[in-house]
Amino acid sequence: MNEHTGTRYHHGDLRKALMDAGEVELAEKGIEGFTLRGCAKRAGVSHAAPAHHFKDVNGLLTALAAEGFDRLVAAMRARQAVAKQTPRLQFIAAGLGYLDFGKANKALFRLMFSSHKPDFGSGELKRSAAAAFDILIEIVRNVAGADPRGNAKLMRDVAAAWAMAHGLADLALSNRMKFLDAAPGLSEDEVYAEIIARSVPDGAKRTARSRKT
Amino acid sequence: MNEHTGTRYHHGDLRKALMDAGEVELAEKGIEGFTLRGCAKRAGVSHAAPAHHFKDVNGLLTALAAEGFDRLVAAMRARQAVAKQTPRLQFIAAGLGYLDFGKANKALFRLMFSSHKPDFGSGELKRSAAAAFDILIEIVRNVAGADPRGNAKLMRDVAAAWAMAHGLADLALSNRMKFLDAAPGLSEDEVYAEIIARSVPDGAKRTARSRKT
DNA sequence: TGTACATCAGTGAACGCGCGTTCACTGATGTAC
DNA sequence: TGTACATCAGTGAACGCGCGTTCACTGATGTAC
């Protein structure tokens, strides 16, 4: 190896380098302009090299999508870590984290949710996506509490929470939420938090007064 | 012309035929597999012919997206037409129409909301998208009523309504709402209606009792 | 009603492009002895 | 500690492909007179 010049025949960790390059490629070119050759070039390697690490271009995209779900979870956790520990505020924080991730990783978000290119049957991707979904359920269950209406009600709560956060993210990252920006006296986070709060399941949203009636 | 064989040198309305072909192409190949040559072939015309009707492939995609917004509005109106005329049920009906459209036009929906290919600056597309947005505002305003909290509140109501319907549609059309399907005793429509109802602005959702306090 | 002619809307051959992928190869690495 | 050798991870040339687009053309249409 030749650590001083940075050039060496064997790369060391080309797989990782290609993943990093793939993210940049995705961010700059979008899904529609993503090419394997572009990733190889960004990683400083010949365009035939990736074949040793990924079966084909969709293999790289699948790995990127899987990593995306891990990072989506991390973004939600990051917001939760700095929020108060009530189930309701944890729910809202997770929603804001979902939005953070979408806005910061537009093309990756679309790759994960609106593309057919990744192989969603692959174990790696299925595991990461399932882990994210499990966390969503956990957050909703914490705020909804044990509900006598059972699992079907919980699943509708989950769907509502996910759809609200996902819809906001998807629309925001195509600049379709600009009409919200002119909020007087509220920060962008506060506006989104207020909207996300509307999808808190009603088991927990009822006030003490209305609950007693 | 040669109406009996169906073959003639001049097509008659190739622009319309290309739009129809484009929708089929979109449905069968998706955005990522969409080609101008494919559309020309479907329309039974040489692959150079479309140049006389659309500047380039993005021109056709732009026209398809614009028509998509018109049809999205029509889908919402169709649901509203068969629903009761209360603002709340009209709101829910419109949401179900939004879902109908997304599920029935998956790739077109993605073209309209998750692609950079159409020219969103074109007058045609801007007009259709703006018309759809205006209708959304009208529906939300009808259900929210005159709210002393003013326009910022209305815009948040609009954002919540749109995000909920859009999130449900986007997730449903990538098969991510399957966990909802096992609903006991509720039709799919009823499940979605219940979820959409959660995004009804609170101005109208308050019961008569709680409003009086 | 007929004719000349401009215009329109097609055809099909050809171009250049960038892509994914394959291939024979070669340099680097690590291990058995 | 050396050496032989298998294996791994790169290179770069080449391939075929389908694409969007251009071009000279031609058939059809419609209108002026």
Side-chain angles (χ1 to χ4, degrees):
Chain A
M1 94 169 58
N2 186 343
E3 291 184 29
H4 294 285
T5 66
T7 66
R8 35 190 171 156
Y9 198 91
H10 281 192
H11 183 282
D13 194 355
L14 184 54
R15 184 185 163 90
K16 168 96 169 55
L18 285 169
M19 298 274 294
D20 293 346
E23 287 208 35
V24 178
E25 176 86 355
L26 218 37
E28 291 189 8
K29 302 285 187 64
I31 297 175
E32 291 157 355
F34 183 95
T35 70
L36 198 53
R37 287 167 103 109
C39 295
K41 189 169 190 179
R42 281 175 206 280
V45 109
S46 81
H47 62 253
H52 291 278
H53 299 275
F54 298 97
K55 192 189 148 230
D56 54 22
V57 61
N58 288 339
L60 174 52
L61 288 170
T62 302
L64 285 169
E67 196 191 51
F69 279 102
D70 298 341
R71 287 177 42 207
L72 170 59
V73 168
M76 293 164 69
R77 291 305 195 199
R79 279 281 192 165
Q80 289 185 302
V82 297
K84 290 195 185 138
Q85 293 298 315
T86 72
R88 186 169 202 276
L89 291 173
Q90 287 287 299
F91 176 101
I92 292 169
L96 289 172
Y98 196 101
L99 266 174
D100 288 342
F101 176 81
K103 291 189 202 169
N105 304 277
K106 303 188 186 203
L108 180 56
F109 186 88
R110 252 69 190 258
L111 183 72
M112 293 156 59
F113 289 111
S114 312
S115 175
H116 293 295
K117 287 188 174 176
D119 174 12
F120 289 96
S122 94
E124 180 193 15
L125 181 45
K126 266 162 87 172
R127 267 190 301 278
S128 290
F133 186 68
D134 287 347
I135 284 164
L136 169 65
I137 293 183
E138 168 209 306
I139 291 165
V140 172
R141 185 179 276 134
N142 282 345
V143 76
D147 194 301
R149 284 163 289 186
N151 193 61
K153 167 63 165 52
L154 176 65
M155 288 301 108
R156 271 179 279 134
D157 292 343
V158 167
W162 192 6
M164 184 64 91
H166 184 81
L168 285 174
D170 195 53
L171 292 169
L173 69 79
S174 3
N175 289 323
R176 285 199 166 84
M177 286 281 128
K178 285 214 174 132
F179 65 89
L180 262 185
D181 286 358
L186 290 180
S187 71
E188 193 178 307
D189 268 6
E190 286 168 332
V191 170
Y192 282 118
E194 191 268 338
I195 296 171
I196 289 165
R198 300 176 183 209
S199 68
V200 173
D202 68 356
K205 201 159 54 173
R206 280 180 217 143
T207 62
R209 186 187 64 233
S210 66
R211 193 183 274 287
K212 278 179 202 155
T213 62
Chain B
M1 99 168 55
N2 188 341
E3 293 184 27
H4 294 285
T5 65
T7 66
R8 34 187 172 159
Y9 197 91
H10 282 192
H11 183 283
D13 195 355
L14 184 52
R15 185 185 162 90
K16 167 95 168 56
L18 285 169
M19 298 274 294
D20 293 346
E23 286 209 35
V24 178
E25 175 87 356
L26 218 36
E28 290 188 8
K29 302 284 187 62
I31 297 177
E32 291 157 354
F34 183 95
T35 70
L36 197 55
R37 287 168 103 108
C39 295
K41 189 168 190 179
R42 281 176 206 280
V45 109
S46 82
H47 62 253
H52 290 278
H53 298 275
F54 299 96
K55 192 189 146 229
D56 54 23
V57 61
N58 289 339
L60 174 52
L61 288 170
T62 301
L64 286 169
E67 196 191 51
F69 280 101
D70 298 340
R71 288 176 41 205
L72 170 59
V73 168
M76 292 164 70
R77 293 301 196 203
R79 280 281 193 166
Q80 290 185 302
V82 297
K84 288 195 186 139
Q85 293 296 316
T86 72
R88 186 169 203 277
L89 291 174
Q90 287 288 299
F91 177 102
I92 292 169
L96 290 173
Y98 197 102
L99 266 173
D100 287 343
F101 175 81
K103 290 189 202 168
N105 305 277
K106 303 189 187 204
L108 180 57
F109 186 88
R110 252 70 191 258
L111 182 72
M112 294 157 58
F113 289 111
S114 311
S115 175
H116 294 294
K117 287 188 175 179
D119 174 12
F120 288 97
S122 93
E124 181 192 16
L125 181 45
K126 266 163 88 173
R127 267 189 301 278
S128 290
F133 186 67
D134 288 345
I135 284 164
L136 169 65
I137 293 183
E138 168 208 306
I139 291 165
V140 172
R141 185 178 277 135
N142 282 345
V143 76
D147 195 300
R149 284 163 290 185
N151 194 61
K153 166 63 163 52
L154 177 65
M155 288 301 107
R156 272 179 279 133
D157 291 344
V158 166
W162 192 5
M164 184 64 92
H166 184 79
L168 285 174
D170 195 54
L171 292 168
L173 70 78
S174 3
N175 290 324
R176 285 200 165 83
M177 285 280 129
K178 285 214 174 131
F179 66 88
L180 263 184
D181 285 358
L186 290 180
S187 72
E188 194 177 306
D189 268 5
E190 286 168 334
V191 169
Y192 282 119
E194 190 268 337
I195 296 171
I196 289 166
R198 298 176 184 211
S199 68
V200 173
D202 69 357
K205 203 158 54 173
R206 283 180 216 143
T207 62
R209 185 187 65 233
S210 65
R211 192 184 275 285
K212 277 179 201 155
T213 62

